[in-house]
Every structure is written in structure tokens, then in C-alpha cells.
Amino acid sequence: MKICLINNLYKPYNRGGAENIVEMIARGLVKAGHDVFVITTKPFTQKHKNTKTQSLSSTPIREHKIYYVNSLYYNLNKLPKFLRLFWHLIDVFDVGSYFQVKRILKIEKPAVVMTHNLKGAGYLIPRAIKKLKIKHIHTLHDIQLLHPSGLMIYKKEKAIDSLFSKIYAWPCCLLFGNPDVVISPSDWLMKMHEDRGFFAKSEKIILPNPVEAITADLNIAKRKSDEVFRFFYAGQIEEHKGVLFLINAFRKLKDHCELIIAGGGVKLNQAKKLARDNKNIKFIGRIGKSEVLDMMKRADALIMPSLCYENSPAVMYEALAAGLPVIASRIGGAEELVRNAAGILFEPSNEKDLIDKIKFARENREKLFNISQKGLEKIKRFGIDNYVNRLVNLL
């Protein structure tokens, strides 16, 4: 079956979890024998021919084609805030993108189009799919359709229902209409959209994101022999990710343990200044996926201190698949992923609660090991082959 995947970002312009998930799905569909092509965006300044990429780096099976459409999305953060408003208006009604995507779909004639994040690709794309009478499956990754920032901050939840947000969300809801199927990795994210009138007539499916490989190393004896207890954070160094909050909490610990921080971002310099008097807080910069997995095998727990509502963070899936226990804010879809004793939850922005959970992890290796086993058993159900089978059953 010929299948089209559309996402605003794709390699070589990957930034975060959503585009990595889309790439994983593309590889999984190709491996299952489907004819896959991808439509994504690129900066105006970059030139790309329509390219083909190997479906699996380790097991070359076939190739899938990638179409690149020009987008101003890559310049968004460079614009003054007042100009970003006009950018979002142009993005929602991007007629140029509409006709480019429609032309590609006419040429390729896919049986189904699976859309993901469309910010920067244009919110008229669902209209093009409907116009061509192609089956449409849309996967939610965040609240980009509800608020232009895609963020909802803890204790500032009312912003999502402000007049500004409602004015923004109304055309998004109208343009997206009712895809044949809407997939959300979490109940929380689906409910956020349902409560605001999105996808009233669509079939709705809760399907956690896939994991490509189980990389667990559950050698508790090896971890016990290491005198240093390591906590690990991997992600953006931004205030809404809770990194500054985490550093402040960690500085108050007197236990012999380390905090390893991987990633980059606007708040990196501020984070380093905050941690400069604590030799147990170490920054290792941006690292690739393989380095992240290696670090997870050396760590004793992953900490996700987010102060914003996240859907289903990819790094949490990777940690669970690596047999690494997760300590996370009880917020958004992250809570669903580690509930039922598959992880440790703390109240968002509650420093004392976080410190208590860190101490519990430090002092209870056996219990932490049992938590990692429960997380691993849970994540095994989310393998890419199972995910692709669920997708195919929807076609």
C-alpha cells in the first residue's frame, strides 16, 4: 500500500521527539512492505532534490522518497514577538503550501495520508487531502492547534482558554475538520482537543508512541558496585522544561550523587551559572541518540522535571526501554506513561517533593530496580512492529 507521511520537520532538520517518531514510523512501514514517501519542509535558503533515504541504517530493505516544501518556520524564533503573530496567520492559511502538497499527492496517489505536526507546513493541508478524497489519519503530538506556542505551563493553564487562544484555535479546528482517524499517545491530549470542539466526527484512538528497540541493561549488581549514584536529564535547557528548578533542588542535596545534564537551549548559560558551585552537577552538551542510550546505561534514574504539560516525551520511552527508572512531574501525558508503579511521580514545581523522591531513589536501589522492571514490561507493548500493525488495521 502506498502511504504518505507529512510532518513539518524531518531529517536533516530534526529537532525533537515528534520528527524522530515520524521517521521511526516510516522505517516500520517500509519494513512491513509498504510503499512510503514523506512530505516535509526546508528553509528557503536550502536546495534539495526530491531524495530517497534508506529505510533502515542497520538493515537496508528499501528506500522511501522525501519531498521538501519551502517554509519560513526555520526563521520563526528570530522574529520579534509582534511579527510572530503575522507569521502564525500566514502559516494557518498557507496557500502556497496547500497547492504544492496537493500537486505531490496527485502525482503519488497514496491510499492514505498520515499527518503529524503541521505548524510551518500549513494548516490547509487537511483540506487538500479531503479535496482529493484520500483517507486521512492525523496523529497529535502537542497542543499546537490550541495555542501557537504549543505549550501550557503549570499554574498558568487559563492561558489556553484566553480570548487570544480561542481566536487562534477556531480556524485551526475549522481547517482540520474531521480526519477519518485521530490518534493521540495520551488520554490527556485527546481530551484537551475534544473539550475544545476538535475532531467531533473522527474515530479517536489512544495509541502510545512506538519504541524501536528494547535496550535494557538490568544488571543491578553492576549498578550497586558503582559508588556514585547518577541522575540523568536529557532535553532542552529551557525554563519550561524545569531544568533550573531541578538544579536548585539538587544543590540542596547532601547525598553523594551526580546530576548529568545533556542538551542545549536558551537557558544553558544561566543553568551553568546556577550550578557552578556544585561539582556534582555536570553538563555534557548536545549528544546524539546513541550517546543518550549509552548514558542511560550508566545512570540510575532519569529525571523529567517539566513545568509544562507534555504529551508523551520520547526520552521517557527511551529510558523505560533501557530499563532506566523515571522520576517525572505528575503532569500531562507523562503521568499516564509511568502510572501503576512504572515510575516515580512528584508534584510539579514542588521542590520538597522532588528532593524527597530523589532521596527515595538514592536510598532504595532494590525498589528502584523493581520499578525499572515494571516500566520495561509496560514499554515492551509499544514496540514499532506492534504500532505498525495497529496502524495498518486502521486502513
Side-chain angles (χ1 to χ4, degrees):
M1 181 183 296
K2 181 174 278 193
I3 298 172
C4 173
L5 298 176
I6 305 180
N7 192 58
N8 57 354
L9 298 173
Y10 204 71
K11 60 184 181 182
Y13 305 109
N14 306 44
R15 290 184 184 175
E19 47 268 32
N20 294 333
I21 289 166
V22 175
E23 188 177 342
M24 192 189 312
I25 293 169
R27 291 196 296 262
L29 288 168
V30 170
K31 183 181 176 183
H34 297 281
D35 184 3
V36 175
F37 68 97
V38 174
I39 301 176
T40 186
T41 70
K42 69 174 184 66
F44 271 89
T45 55
Q46 298 296 318
K47 292 185 178 180
H48 280 275
K49 293 181 179 179
N50 295 330
T51 63
K52 285 190 175 182
T53 181
Q54 287 187 342
S55 60
L56 287 171
S57 56
S58 57
T59 311
I61 299 171
R62 295 166 60 192
E63 295 180 332
H64 63 271
K65 186 184 294 184
I66 306 175
Y67 288 93
Y68 292 95
V69 175
N70 289 326
S71 174
L72 291 171
Y73 182 58
Y74 301 86
N75 301 315
L76 179 58
N77 290 334
K78 299 176 183 178
L79 296 176
K81 286 187 177 180
F82 74 94
L83 285 180
R84 293 182 194 180
L85 177 63
F86 295 99
W87 182 93
H88 285 295
L89 184 64
I90 294 169
D91 182 46
V92 170
F93 299 102
D94 191 341
V95 177
S97 171
Y98 168 87
F99 284 110
Q100 287 184 74
V101 171
K102 187 177 179 182
R103 180 174 59 85
I104 295 169
L105 294 178
K106 279 184 175 181
I107 293 169
E108 291 286 352
K109 296 181 173 59
V112 60
V113 176
M114 299 179 181
T115 54
H116 292 262
N117 283 344
L118 296 183
K119 182 182 289 295
Y123 288 168
L124 288 175
I125 288 175
R127 289 284 171 176
I129 299 168
K130 184 176 181 180
K131 185 77 172 178
L132 295 173
K133 298 181 179 179
I134 303 171
K135 183 161 187 175
H136 182 195
I137 298 176
H138 181 68
T139 299
L140 296 166
H141 291 279
D142 54 30
I143 58 168
Q144 287 183 2
L145 299 178
L146 307 180
H147 193 280
S149 71
L151 298 174
M152 184 166 73
I153 306 299
Y154 183 65
K155 292 186 177 179
K156 296 181 180 179
E157 293 87 350
K158 290 183 180 179
I160 205 69
D161 290 315
S162 66
L163 178 61
F164 169 75
S165 295
K166 289 178 179 178
I167 292 172
Y168 168 82
W170 179 76
C172 295
C173 182
L174 185 67
L175 293 175
F176 262 76
N178 296 284
D180 296 282
V181 181
V182 175
I183 295 172
S184 173
S186 67
D187 285 304
W188 167 78
L189 187 61
M190 185 69 83
K191 192 172 187 303
M192 285 289 294
H193 288 80
E194 285 183 301
D195 289 349
R196 289 158 183 81
F198 279 76
F199 316 127
K201 298 179 182 178
S202 300
E203 180 183 359
K204 302 174 189 68
I205 304 290
I206 305 300
L207 182 60
N209 290 328
V211 291
E212 202 157 27
I214 304 298
T215 59
D217 180 3
L218 297 178
N219 189 341
I220 189 172
K222 184 180 74 175
R223 284 180 174 170
K224 279 184 174 180
S225 67
D226 192 342
E227 292 182 2
V228 179
F229 195 100
R230 293 185 180 88
F231 294 95
F232 182 45
Y233 171 86
Q236 299 174 39
I237 313 299
E238 304 288 352
E239 190 165 0
H240 66 267
K241 290 292 186 177
V243 185
L244 303 181
F245 157 70
L246 171 61
I247 292 172
N248 274 321
F250 204 85
R251 290 172 63 201
K252 297 179 181 178
L253 288 169
K254 293 184 172 57
D255 295 349
H256 183 52
C257 52
E258 288 183 349
L259 172 62
I260 309 298
I261 298 176
V266 173
K267 296 293 182 179
L268 178 59
N269 289 336
Q270 185 178 343
K272 286 182 175 180
K273 286 180 182 178
L274 198 59
R276 63 187 170 189
D277 60 346
N278 192 315
K279 64 181 181 181
N280 292 324
I281 302 176
K282 301 177 180 179
F283 294 84
I284 59 175
R286 295 181 188 272
I287 58 176
K289 184 174 180 179
S290 61
E291 289 85 1
V292 169
L293 295 178
D294 286 342
M295 191 63 234
M296 285 180 174
K297 291 179 181 178
R298 295 169 50 206
D300 293 280
L302 177 82
I303 300 185
M304 291 289 296
S306 186
L307 302 177
C308 69
Y309 288 75
E310 297 197 61
N311 170 31
S312 207
V315 69
M316 289 181 67
Y317 285 81
E318 292 168 357
L320 294 174
L324 185 65
V326 175
I327 303 173
S329 301
R330 188 181 287 109
I331 190 170
E335 177 184 358
E336 297 174 34
L337 195 56
V338 297
R339 67 168 52 139
N340 299 324
I344 300 171
L345 296 167
F346 67 92
E347 290 301 315
S349 78
N350 187 322
E351 190 176 87
K352 182 181 182 303
D353 195 20
L354 173 58
I355 291 173
D356 287 344
K357 296 303 190 297
I358 289 174
K359 288 180 177 178
F360 171 84
R362 176 71 181 86
E363 297 165 3
N364 294 275
R365 282 185 183 263
E366 291 283 353
K367 290 181 180 179
L368 202 63
F369 178 73
N370 293 333
I371 288 171
S372 69
Q373 286 186 310
K374 289 180 180 178
L376 183 60
E377 287 303 313
K378 185 171 187 176
I379 207 70
K380 282 179 179 177
R381 305 197 303 265
F382 306 154
I384 184 61
D385 292 339
N386 290 338
Y387 187 94
V388 168
N389 287 338
R390 288 286 304 275
L391 278 184
V392 172
N393 288 335
L394 296 173
L395 303 182

